[in-house]
């Protein structure tokens, strides 16, 4: 009905606008809906179908006859990727496509700072705009389920609430540049092993409570204009044409009005794609009989095969009208948005944003004194050291190379070694210590034993002569590390780093270990190393941010966005054998259900090595006693919980005050507690501030499978306030009265 009215008004305006020279669909004074309907009414069936599939590796067709441009897309999500060839995966070799590499999204999540997320979105949006992109393929919002997932670095951690709060400003600010966010990978792409077809099976509770909320926030609050389907299957059907995910949840329940784009090669069936809510097909592979260059875009599932089905009446024309409407709407929001800014690339402002996110995202995991000394090792006081040895391939490695589609061609890059040298000058010496080989797809470069031995020996010899070692290791973007298309093969550090660390410690226990990774790793040497810093992948300004934190110029305030288990089996996804990870015969069941990350550690009483929400500071924060505005509340009311926090140390610092809520009634299985609020505050030494949280009925709800909807049980609840999911400083109990079925 709405469509008919719009077509009616479009016709009216068509006649009306004749005198005004501009056709309705080009008249920017008119609403997007009117213009879309006018454009649609002028298009042939062939033109509508053409909108629905790629014309090159990263663009889809426009309507040349009507002057409707092509849609240009780019990876995402940490910077705008270099130009790719028209019809193969090689880089095009342009000389104007170097950009800012922003810290990976795990680092953004570790800032727990929504304002910085907005700055990130705006800065990357300006870069995408300058590079003439209409769609940026990001942010990535899949939940961190296992530390083996090769793509965790592209996502925002294990908690749906944290990821929801942080993705919204990124999307909103990005899109102000006339660039659509393409939120990915919808949904349940939580491992890279068998990603093309692993069939994920899980309960509705796990789906709605853990894996969907961030995507929903991206649609409802972020107002994201596009969504990328995932490669994997969900309950038997490919996510890129899943009736459940795309028709029912995304488009019907959430009322998403943007476009669904496949992951590259994620489309497998014409009929399902036609009827199950897919709008644009990208990156399909050849049919196996032809080579990439012979396989034309018109062979795609949503190309000629779709046109034929439409002509034969095997699928309704409504399907293509809906797709074309959404695609045209995306054009008006991006490529045909005449009010969009021009953008900019690699500016000082963007570098400042990248540095600030690094400063706030780096997490101090451990900081103890060395042997008999009293003060913790960090921050490093330059006057105390004459000879600092930096060890490690990651201190100099170009960590934006490799990793898959998030690979970046950076204009500038400050490595950890550069950053430390500019802070500590001539005192810094360097030894590579281990070799990691080049990033290569599908295999690992084998490093000869004598090379391994030589590098290790060199580093150990130099360590004997040094006052302090800063070992910069971790994972990298090689295949089977933090890289798309494969999972890590083990939980341990690769490339002989454990052995190197042990040997270095034998000759010099003064060690700061900096781990650059997007994942938790096994830490067998944990008790022997005084200081450990989780440094993520920090991009262009990474070395500077690291030096800022190590030297104390910046007081660390990052908090872990996911739990670091002591061993792999302590992680819920790995507690049920192969069926749960990686699956058997490519069929998988998420047996840990809703108990992902800290929900698992808390509920099963299996302590994490470093818990979710954990991160140290160079100052200390004292928490007062939490109080609630009432002892009970009911629906349509709110409860306020307050607590005072004081900087009781000697330097200014930022603290993330975290609110978790637990259901004490026990009507259905619930995790001990779940994150429902946080506030990052900045305090001068001695300063005290009151932090308050508003609790609503929605914060208490669970997904009730018996009614297929959210529900809240009346009963007793507990608010836990603390500095991490483990370090709870005060609790307050309250009751919630009434039964309320909350919105989907
Ligand atoms: C990845 C996507 C990416 C796309 C285009 C796929 O392999 O899964 O995240 O956006 O390639 O490069």
């Amino acid at each position: 009905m709405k469509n008919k009215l719009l077509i009616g008004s479009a016709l009216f305006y068509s006649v009306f606008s004749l005198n005004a020279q501009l056709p309705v669909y080009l008249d920017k004074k008119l609403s997007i809906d009117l213009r879309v309907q006018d454009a649609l009414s002028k298009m042939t069936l062939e033109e509508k179908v053409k909108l629905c599939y790629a014309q090159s590796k990263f663009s889809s067709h426009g309507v040349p006859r009507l002057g409707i441009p092509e849609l240009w897309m780019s990876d995402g999500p940490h910077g705008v990727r270099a130009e790719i060839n028209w019809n193969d995966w090689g880089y095009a070799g342009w000389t104007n496509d170097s950009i800012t590499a922003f810290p990976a999204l795990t680092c953004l999540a570790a800032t727990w700072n929504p304002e910085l997320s907005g700055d990130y979105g705006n800065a990357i949006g300006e870069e995408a705009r300058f590079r003439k992109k209409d769609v940026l393929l990001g942010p990535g919002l899949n939940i961190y389920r296992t530390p083996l997932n090769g793509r965790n670095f592209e996502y925002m951690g294990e908690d749906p609430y944290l990821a929801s709060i942080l993705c919204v400003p990124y999307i909103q600010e990005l899109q102000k540049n006339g660039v659509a966010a393409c939120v990915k990978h919808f949904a349940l792409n939580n491992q890279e092993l068998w990603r093309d077809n692993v069939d994920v099976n899980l309960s509705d509770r796990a789906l709605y409570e853990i894996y969907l909320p961030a995507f929903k926030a991206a649609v409802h609050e972020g107002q994201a204009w596009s969504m990328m389907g995932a490669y994997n299957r969900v309950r038997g059907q490919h996510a890129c044409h899943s009736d459940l995910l795309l028709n029912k949840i995304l488009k019907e329940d959430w009322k998403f009005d943007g476009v669904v784009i496949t992951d590259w090669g994620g489309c497998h069936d014409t009929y399902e794609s036609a009827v199950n809510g897919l709008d644009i097909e990208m990156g399909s592979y050849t049919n196996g009989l032809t080579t990439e260059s012979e396989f034309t875009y018109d062979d795609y599932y949503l190309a000629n095969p779709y046109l034929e089905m439409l002509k034969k009446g095997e699928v309704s024309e409504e399907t293509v009208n809906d797709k074309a409407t959404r695609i045209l709407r995306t054009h008006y929001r991006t490529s045909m948005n005449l009010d969009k800014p021009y953008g900019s690339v690699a500016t000082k402002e963007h570098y400042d944003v990248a540095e600030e996110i690094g400063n706030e995202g780096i997490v101090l995991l451990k900081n103890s004194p060395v042997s008999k000394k009293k003060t913790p090792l960090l921050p490093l006081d330059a006057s105390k050291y004459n000879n600092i040895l930096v060890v490690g391939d990651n201190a100099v490695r170009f960590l934006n190379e490799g990793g898959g589609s998030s690979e970046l061609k950076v204009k500038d890059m400050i490595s950890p070694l550069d950053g430390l040298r500019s802070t500590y000058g001539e005192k810094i010496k360097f030894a590579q210590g281990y070799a990691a080989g080049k990033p290569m797809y599908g295999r690992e470069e084998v490093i000869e034993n004598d090379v391994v031995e030589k590098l290790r020996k060199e580093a150990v010899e130099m360590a004997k002569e040094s006052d302090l070692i800063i070992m910069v290791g971790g994972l990298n973007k090689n295949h089977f590390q933090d890289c798309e298309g494969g999972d890590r093969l083990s939980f341990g550090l690769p490339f002989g780093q454990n052995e190197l660390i042990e040997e270095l410690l034998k000759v010099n226990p003064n060690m700061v270990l900096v781990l650059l990774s997007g994942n938790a790793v096994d830490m067998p040497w944990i008790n022997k190393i005084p200081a450990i810093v989780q440094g993520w992948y920090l991009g262009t300004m990474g070395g500077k941010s690291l030096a800022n934190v190590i030297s104390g110029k910046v007081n660390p305030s990052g908090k872990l966005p996911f739990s670091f288990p002591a061993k792999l089996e302590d992680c819920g996804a790995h507690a049920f054998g192969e069926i749960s990870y990686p699956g058997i015969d490519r069929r998988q069941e998420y047996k840990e259900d809703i108990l992902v990350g800290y929900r698992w550690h808390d509920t099963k009483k299996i302590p994490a090595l470093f818990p979710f929400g954990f991160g140290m500071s160079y100052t200390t924060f004292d928490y007062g006693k939490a109080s609630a505005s009432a002892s009970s509340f009911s629906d349509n009311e709110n409860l306020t919980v307050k607590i005072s926090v004081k900087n009781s140390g000697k330097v200014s610092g930022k603290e993330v005050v975290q609110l978790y809520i637990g259901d004490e009634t026990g009507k259905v299985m619930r995790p001990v507690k779940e994150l429902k609020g946080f506030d990052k505050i900045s305090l001068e030494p001695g300063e005290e501030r009151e932090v308050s949280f508003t609790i609503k009925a929605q914060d208490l709800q669970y997904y009730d499978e018996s009614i297929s909807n959210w529900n809240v049980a009346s009963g007793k609840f507990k608010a836990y306030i603390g500095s991490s999911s483990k370090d709870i400083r005060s609790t307050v109990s309250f009751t919630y009265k009434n039964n309320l079925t909350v919105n989907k």
Side-chain angles (χ1 to χ4, degrees), residues 239-380:
C240 281
H241 27 88
S242 154
D243 182 42
L244 172 69
L245 291 178
L246 304 184
N247 280 344
K248 183 176 177 321
I249 295 175
L250 182 64
K251 292 186 170 172
E252 210 178 298
D253 292 349
W254 298 353
K255 310 267 178 286
F256 174 67
D257 74 352
V259 277
V260 175
I261 301 173
T262 56
D263 198 340
W264 269 231
C267 184
H268 302 271
D269 186 85
T270 298
Y271 180 77
E272 280 193 5
S273 304
V275 300
N276 285 351
L278 175 66
D279 300 308
I280 302 182
E281 178 186 0
M282 297 297 296
S284 291
Y285 300 112
T286 80
N287 53 13
L289 303 172
T290 49
T291 63
E292 196 163 37
S293 52
E294 287 164 347
F295 181 71
T296 74
Y297 293 95
D298 292 335
D299 294 324
Y300 275 30
Y301 293 98
L302 279 184
N304 286 345
Y306 182 33
L307 185 61
E308 266 164 45
M309 282 186 122
L310 282 161
K311 283 185 174 161
K312 286 186 195 149
E314 288 167 6
V315 282
S316 78
E317 214 170 314
E318 271 298 297
T319 61
V320 75
N321 284 339
D322 181 58
K323 293 178 204 302
T325 299
R326 289 166 181 276
I327 297 165
L328 289 169
R329 191 178 289 134
T330 309
H331 276 290
Y332 283 109
R333 288 167 164 170
T334 60
S335 63
M336 294 175 80
N337 171 355
L338 297 177
D339 298 323
K340 62 186 181 238
Y342 300 126
S344 53
V345 154
T347 61
K348 171 165 185 322
E349 288 74 18
H350 296 176
Y351 285 5
D352 288 348
V353 168
E355 182 180 343
E356 192 56 27
I357 291 165
N359 289 346
E360 288 212 16
I362 291 169
V363 180
L364 180 60
L365 291 178
K366 187 174 176 197
N367 193 16
S368 327
V370 180
S371 52
K372 294 189 191 83
K373 300 208 179 91
K374 285 214 177 82
T375 44
L377 188 54
L378 294 178
L380 279 190

Side-chain angles (χ1 to χ4, degrees), residues 689-720:
R689 174 107 51 94
E690 190 173 66
V691 173
S692 74
F693 297 101
T694 305
I695 298 174
K696 303 174 294 302
Q698 276 89 343
D699 298 320
L700 313 178
Q701 67 190 359
Y702 66 96
Y703 191 82
D704 186 343
E705 294 183 340
S706 69
I707 55 167
S708 296
N709 205 345
W710 293 92
N711 202 355
V712 195
S714 301
K716 276 190 74 180
F717 291 84
K718 196 190 265 184
Y720 302 76

Side-chain angles (χ1 to χ4, degrees), residues 114-143:
E115 216 177 295
L116 281 183
S117 176
D119 294 346
Y120 192 134
N122 177 50
I124 199 171
E126 288 181 346
E127 302 225 341
R129 183 70 275 142
F130 187 83
R131 289 271 311 279
K132 301 191 172 55
K133 303 303 175 194
D134 305 309
V135 180
L136 184 80
L137 306 175
L141 295 181
N142 297 96
I143 288 290

Side-chain angles (χ1 to χ4, degrees), residues 567 569-571 575 600-608:
K567 48 187 192 308
E569 307 76 73
D570 290 355
C571 165
W600 173 265
H601 291 287
D602 280 0
T603 311
K604 299 290 174 185
K605 301 195 171 48
I606 300 170

